[in-house]
Protein backbone atom coordinates (compact mmCIF):
# COMPACT_ATOMS: atom_id res chain seq x y z
CA UNK A 1 0.00 0.00 0.00
CA UNK A 2 1.18 3.51 -0.76
CA UNK A 3 2.14 5.71 2.14
CA UNK A 4 1.57 9.44 2.37
CA UNK A 5 2.75 11.09 -0.82
CA UNK A 6 3.67 14.74 -1.20
CA UNK A 7 4.49 16.81 -4.24
CA UNK A 8 6.66 18.42 -5.28
CA UNK A 9 9.71 17.15 -3.39
CA UNK A 10 11.66 20.35 -3.75
CA UNK A 11 10.64 23.85 -4.75
CA UNK A 12 12.36 27.19 -5.15
CA UNK A 13 10.26 30.36 -5.14
CA UNK A 14 10.90 34.08 -5.07
CA UNK A 15 9.74 36.39 -2.30
CA UNK A 16 6.19 37.59 -2.86
CA UNK A 17 5.18 34.59 -4.95
CA UNK A 18 2.50 32.06 -4.16
CA UNK A 19 3.02 28.31 -3.66
CA UNK A 20 0.75 25.25 -3.56
CA UNK A 21 1.86 22.02 -1.91
CA UNK A 22 -0.04 18.76 -2.34
CA UNK A 23 -0.60 15.71 -0.19
CA UNK A 24 -2.30 12.35 -0.73
CA UNK A 25 -3.08 10.47 2.49
CA UNK A 26 -2.92 6.76 3.10
CA UNK A 27 -5.95 5.01 1.68
CA UNK A 28 -8.74 5.01 4.25
CA UNK A 29 -7.32 7.88 6.31
CA UNK A 30 -9.71 10.82 6.47
CA UNK A 31 -7.57 13.21 8.52
CA UNK A 32 -4.73 15.23 7.03
CA UNK A 33 -2.46 17.58 8.94
CA UNK A 34 0.24 19.99 7.81
CA UNK A 35 3.42 20.86 9.67
CA UNK A 36 6.25 23.30 9.02
CA UNK A 37 9.76 22.31 10.05
CA UNK A 38 12.37 25.02 10.02
CA UNK A 39 15.98 23.82 9.93
CA UNK A 40 17.13 22.69 13.37
CA UNK A 41 13.66 22.79 14.93
CA UNK A 42 10.82 20.36 15.52
CA UNK A 43 7.76 20.39 13.25
CA UNK A 44 5.16 23.08 14.01
CA UNK A 45 1.47 22.37 13.50
CA UNK A 46 -0.22 24.44 10.78
CA UNK A 47 -3.60 22.85 9.98
CA UNK A 48 -5.64 19.74 10.47
CA UNK A 49 -8.54 18.70 8.21
CA UNK A 50 -11.01 15.91 8.77
CA UNK A 51 -13.79 15.06 6.36
CA UNK A 52 -13.05 18.24 4.42
CA UNK A 53 -13.52 20.48 7.45
CA UNK A 54 -10.83 22.41 9.27
CA UNK A 55 -10.51 20.95 12.76
CA UNK A 56 -7.43 22.76 13.98
CA UNK A 57 -5.22 25.71 13.11
CA UNK A 58 -1.81 26.55 14.51
CA UNK A 59 -0.29 29.97 15.09
CA UNK A 60 0.38 30.90 11.47
CA UNK A 61 -0.59 34.07 9.55
CA UNK A 62 -3.53 34.24 7.18
CA UNK A 63 -1.12 33.90 4.26
CA UNK A 64 -1.33 30.19 5.00
CA UNK A 65 -4.47 28.36 3.91
CA UNK A 66 -5.43 24.80 3.14
CA UNK A 67 -8.26 22.66 1.93
CA UNK A 68 -9.21 19.00 1.70
CA UNK A 69 -10.88 17.44 -1.28
CA UNK A 70 -13.60 14.74 -1.46
CA UNK A 71 -10.91 12.08 -2.04
CA UNK A 72 -9.23 13.30 1.21
CA UNK A 73 -6.18 14.68 -0.56
CA UNK A 74 -5.14 18.14 0.56
CA UNK A 75 -3.45 21.32 -0.58
CA UNK A 76 -1.49 23.83 1.45
CA UNK A 77 -1.29 27.33 -0.03
CA UNK A 78 1.06 30.07 1.03
CA UNK A 79 0.70 33.59 -0.37
CA UNK A 80 3.18 36.46 -0.43
CA UNK A 81 6.13 34.24 0.40
CA UNK A 82 8.74 35.48 2.83
CA UNK A 83 12.30 34.28 3.29
CA UNK A 84 11.22 32.89 6.66
CA UNK A 85 8.79 30.53 4.95
CA UNK A 86 11.74 28.45 3.78
CA UNK A 87 11.27 25.10 5.48
CA UNK A 88 10.38 21.45 5.13
CA UNK A 89 6.60 21.11 4.91
CA UNK A 90 5.31 17.80 6.16
CA UNK A 91 1.93 16.24 5.63
CA UNK A 92 0.55 13.56 7.94
CA UNK A 93 -2.47 11.33 7.61
CA UNK A 94 -4.10 9.61 10.52
CA UNK A 95 -7.12 7.88 11.95
CA UNK A 96 -7.49 10.66 14.55
CA UNK A 97 -5.85 9.67 17.82
CA UNK A 98 -3.83 6.79 16.45
CA UNK A 99 -0.33 7.35 15.19
CA UNK A 100 0.15 9.91 12.43
CA UNK A 101 2.00 8.79 9.32
CA UNK A 102 4.15 11.39 7.63
CA UNK A 103 5.14 11.91 4.03
CA UNK A 104 8.67 12.64 2.87
CA UNK A 105 7.95 16.36 2.87
CA UNK A 106 8.32 19.25 0.44
CA UNK A 107 11.44 21.31 0.88
CA UNK A 108 10.58 24.93 0.04
CA UNK A 109 13.31 27.48 -0.50
CA UNK A 110 12.34 31.14 -0.81
CA UNK A 111 14.99 33.38 -2.39
CA UNK B 1 -0.79 24.99 26.59
CA UNK B 2 1.19 21.88 25.93
CA UNK B 3 4.97 21.79 25.72
CA UNK B 4 7.66 19.19 25.03
CA UNK B 5 11.26 19.67 26.09
CA UNK B 6 14.18 17.66 24.79
CA UNK B 7 17.12 19.09 26.67
CA UNK B 8 19.74 17.12 24.77
CA UNK B 9 20.49 18.84 21.48
CA UNK B 10 23.15 16.43 20.24
CA UNK B 11 24.51 13.13 21.51
CA UNK B 12 27.43 11.11 20.16
CA UNK B 13 28.05 7.52 21.16
CA UNK B 14 30.33 4.77 19.98
CA UNK B 15 28.67 1.84 18.29
CA UNK B 16 27.32 -0.81 20.70
CA UNK B 17 26.94 1.66 23.55
CA UNK B 18 23.54 2.20 25.13
CA UNK B 19 22.02 5.68 24.86
CA UNK B 20 18.99 7.31 26.50
CA UNK B 21 17.13 10.25 24.98
CA UNK B 22 15.23 12.40 27.46
CA UNK B 23 11.78 13.92 27.02
CA UNK B 24 9.80 16.04 29.49
CA UNK B 25 6.30 17.24 28.71
CA UNK B 26 3.72 19.68 30.06
CA UNK B 27 -0.02 19.41 29.64
CA UNK B 28 -3.17 20.30 31.54
CA UNK B 29 -5.16 17.42 30.12
CA UNK B 30 -5.60 14.12 31.91
CA UNK B 31 -5.96 12.28 28.62
CA UNK B 32 -3.08 12.64 26.20
CA UNK B 33 -0.76 10.68 23.96
CA UNK B 34 3.01 10.62 23.76
CA UNK B 35 5.05 9.69 20.71
CA UNK B 36 8.59 9.18 19.54
CA UNK B 37 9.55 9.74 15.90
CA UNK B 38 12.83 9.19 14.08
CA UNK B 39 13.92 11.53 11.29
CA UNK B 40 16.79 10.25 9.13
CA UNK B 41 18.61 12.61 6.75
CA UNK B 42 15.99 11.87 4.06
CA UNK B 43 13.54 13.96 6.08
CA UNK B 44 10.60 11.63 6.52
CA UNK B 45 9.35 11.24 10.10
CA UNK B 46 9.20 7.57 11.05
CA UNK B 47 6.77 6.60 13.80
CA UNK B 48 8.38 4.56 16.61
CA UNK B 49 5.91 4.36 19.48
CA UNK B 50 2.71 5.82 20.97
CA UNK B 51 1.66 5.68 24.63
CA UNK B 52 -1.55 6.97 26.16
CA UNK B 53 -1.69 8.71 29.51
CA UNK B 54 -3.43 5.80 31.22
CA UNK B 55 -0.80 3.26 30.32
CA UNK B 56 2.41 3.70 32.29
CA UNK B 57 3.68 0.23 31.50
CA UNK B 58 7.18 0.42 30.09
CA UNK B 59 7.75 -1.19 26.75
CA UNK B 60 10.61 -2.98 25.04
CA UNK B 61 10.76 -3.58 21.32
CA UNK B 62 13.97 -5.19 20.17
CA UNK B 63 16.81 -2.79 20.95
CA UNK B 64 14.35 0.01 21.81
CA UNK B 65 12.74 0.62 25.19
CA UNK B 66 10.62 3.39 26.62
CA UNK B 67 10.19 4.58 30.21
CA UNK B 68 6.98 6.56 30.85
CA UNK B 69 6.66 8.20 34.28
CA UNK B 70 3.65 10.46 34.89
CA UNK B 71 4.99 11.52 38.29
CA UNK B 72 7.90 13.30 36.61
CA UNK B 73 6.15 13.99 33.26
CA UNK B 74 8.87 12.14 31.42
CA UNK B 75 8.89 9.74 28.49
CA UNK B 76 12.45 8.63 27.91
CA UNK B 77 13.72 6.46 25.06
CA UNK B 78 16.66 4.06 25.29
CA UNK B 79 18.52 2.37 22.45
CA UNK B 80 20.52 -0.65 23.54
CA UNK B 81 23.67 -1.67 21.66
CA UNK B 82 23.44 1.30 19.29
CA UNK B 83 24.22 0.88 15.60
CA UNK B 84 25.34 3.32 12.93
CA UNK B 85 21.89 3.06 11.32
CA UNK B 86 20.41 4.57 14.48
CA UNK B 87 22.01 7.90 13.57
CA UNK B 88 19.16 10.36 13.09
CA UNK B 89 17.22 13.13 14.79
CA UNK B 90 14.72 11.82 17.32
CA UNK B 91 11.60 13.76 18.23
CA UNK B 92 9.31 13.38 21.21
CA UNK B 93 5.75 14.61 20.66
CA UNK B 94 2.54 15.14 22.64
CA UNK B 95 -1.09 15.15 21.55
CA UNK B 96 -4.06 16.17 23.65
CA UNK B 97 -7.23 14.27 22.82
CA UNK B 98 -9.72 17.03 21.93
CA UNK B 99 -12.00 14.36 20.67
CA UNK B 100 -15.05 16.55 21.00
CA UNK B 101 -13.80 18.84 18.27
CA UNK B 102 -12.21 16.03 16.32
CA UNK B 103 -8.97 17.91 16.63
CA UNK B 104 -5.71 16.05 16.68
CA UNK B 105 -2.42 17.91 16.61
CA UNK B 106 1.08 17.02 17.67
CA UNK B 107 3.37 19.28 19.67
CA UNK B 108 6.99 18.33 19.03
CA UNK B 109 10.14 18.92 20.98
CA UNK B 110 13.15 20.42 19.23
CA UNK B 111 14.69 17.02 18.70
CA UNK B 112 17.90 15.26 19.71
CA UNK B 113 20.47 14.53 17.04
CA UNK B 114 22.05 11.15 17.68
CA UNK B 115 25.33 10.26 16.02
CA UNK B 116 26.57 6.70 16.37
CA UNK B 117 30.26 6.45 15.59
CA UNK B 118 31.61 3.18 14.18
Amino acid sequence: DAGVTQSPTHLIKTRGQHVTLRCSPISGHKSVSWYQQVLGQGPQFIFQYYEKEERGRGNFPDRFSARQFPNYSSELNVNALLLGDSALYLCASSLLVTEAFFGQGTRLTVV
Amino acid sequence: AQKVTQAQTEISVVEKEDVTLDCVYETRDTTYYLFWYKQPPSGELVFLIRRNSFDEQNEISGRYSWNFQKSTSSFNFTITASQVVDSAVYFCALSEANSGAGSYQLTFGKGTKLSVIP
Side-chain angles (χ1 to χ4, degrees):
Chain A
D1 286 340
V4 179
T5 57
Q6 293 186 241
S7 63
T9 307
H10 295 82
L11 201 54
I12 299 175
K13 289 287 189 178
T14 304
R15 277 178 299 175
Q17 285 189 316
H18 162 90
V19 68
T20 297
L21 310 181
R22 296 178 174 83
C23 172
S24 293
I26 293 171
S27 177
H29 285 194
K30 298 180 179 180
S31 176
V32 170
S33 299
W34 288 94
Y35 291 80
Q36 180 197 64
Q37 186 179 16
V38 174
L39 191 63
Q41 299 292 317
Q44 295 286 319
F45 173 75
I46 309 175
F47 287 110
Q48 185 218 348
Y49 277 77
Y50 177 72
E51 289 281 16
K52 294 166 287 181
E53 291 187 4
E54 182 183 304
R55 296 301 183 99
R57 171 186 282 258
N59 188 23
F60 280 81
D62 292 342
R63 299 185 295 107
F64 288 76
S65 63
R67 55 179 176 170
Q68 186 176 34
F69 299 99
N71 66 354
Y72 303 113
S73 66
S74 178
E75 285 183 353
L76 175 69
N77 296 284
V78 187
N79 293 324
L81 285 167
L82 303 174
L83 295 180
D85 295 331
S86 296
L88 179 67
Y89 288 85
L90 294 161
C91 173
S93 77
S94 61
L95 292 172
L96 289 184
V97 293
T98 61
E99 62 271 17
F101 294 92
F102 284 83
Q104 82 282 6
T106 294
R107 191 165 296 279
L108 172 65
T109 302
V110 182
V111 297
Chain B
Q2 50 190 2
K3 183 180 179 181
V4 176
T5 301
Q6 294 180 254
Q8 304 152 309
T9 306
E10 293 191 42
I11 298 177
S12 291
V13 297
V14 177
E15 198 172 20
K16 298 185 182 178
E17 287 184 343
D18 298 347
V19 58
T20 296
L21 309 182
D22 298 333
C23 173
V24 174
Y25 63 92
E26 296 176 27
T27 178
R28 296 177 184 173
D29 276 15
T30 56
T31 302
Y32 52 90
Y33 298 84
L34 295 164
F35 302 79
W36 275 96
Y37 283 88
K38 174 182 180 180
Q39 189 174 45
S42 61
E44 182 174 350
L45 281 169
V46 178
F47 167 81
L48 296 177
I49 191 172
R50 173 186 66 119
R51 306 297 288 177
N52 69 53
S53 52
F54 297 110
D55 183 4
E56 288 193 70
Q57 187 174 17
N58 293 325
E59 182 167 337
I60 298 175
S61 176
R63 296 185 297 107
Y64 296 166
S65 62
W66 290 271
N67 184 352
F68 175 29
Q69 292 191 339
K70 287 180 72 172
S71 60
T72 56
S73 297
S74 65
F75 185 44
N76 297 335
F77 171 37
T78 297
I79 302 174
T80 302
S82 60
Q83 300 176 0
V84 173
V85 293
D86 295 328
S87 297
V89 180
Y90 290 84
F91 290 96
C92 180
L94 166 70
S95 174
E96 293 172 343
N98 292 320
S99 56
S103 174
Y104 171 60
Q105 56 182 266
L106 293 167
T107 297
F108 286 85
K110 292 186 176 181
T112 298
K113 182 178 181 181
L114 174 64
S115 298
V116 181
I117 304 166

